[in-house]
Amino acid sequence: MRTDEHRNPAAFTTDIAKQAGLVLGSDYEIGKPFDVSGHTFYTAKLLGDPVLTTIRVINKIGFYTHAGAQRWTYIGIPQFVWNKLDGDTRARVIGFMYQHEGGTEMRGLFPG
């Protein structure tokens, strides 16, 4: 799974990593490519704590684009709601995303 191979629970792309201010070579590396509708994207391979890094990404750019589209088709939390969640609950949300993305190897990183 892209999640486990790239230590990326939400399987986000390098474009999202850049937009969120992650630093190439420090926070992430360029992972394997995948195609969607004739466009090639690259999964960000996370180098640090995958849960905390994913939370940092969502803290910065949220679940919606500037145009209002959801970044992930299966989940969309308004930023004002996300901002009120505590760290444990945010980690649980990331765990839900990880499960939805089909990950299995990092299950132990998420609260029960």
Side-chain angles (χ1 to χ4, degrees):
M1 299 306 303
R2 286 181 29 229
T3 52
D4 294 322
E5 183 177 355
H6 296 90
R7 294 187 46 77
N8 184 338
F12 60 82
T13 65
T14 54
D15 291 339
I16 287 177
K18 287 179 212 172
Q19 186 178 359
L22 298 185
V23 177
L24 180 62
S26 178
D27 296 314
Y28 74 99
E29 295 175 345
I30 298 171
K32 289 188 176 177
F34 65 98
D35 292 321
V36 176
S37 302
H39 298 284
T40 300
F41 298 93
Y42 296 86
T43 304
K45 183 174 183 177
L46 303 183
L47 301 176
D49 181 307
V51 179
L52 292 179
T53 301
T54 304
I55 289 171
R56 279 178 47 209
V57 166
I58 295 172
N59 286 350
K60 179 77 173 184
I61 66 170
F63 286 90
Y64 296 90
T65 67
H66 290 295
Q70 283 183 217
R71 295 184 194 283
W72 292 272
T73 58
Y74 56 87
I75 189 169
I77 298 174
Q79 196 66 29
F80 74 91
V81 174
W82 176 261
N83 290 344
K84 293 195 180 291
L85 301 178
D86 62 32
D88 185 66
T89 304
R90 289 179 186 190
R92 289 174 188 272
V93 170
I94 303 305
F96 166 80
M97 295 172 75
Y98 175 66
Q99 181 179 5
H100 187 86
E101 293 284 352
T104 58
E105 294 175 16
M106 296 188 292
R107 283 185 184 156
L109 298 178
F110 301 98

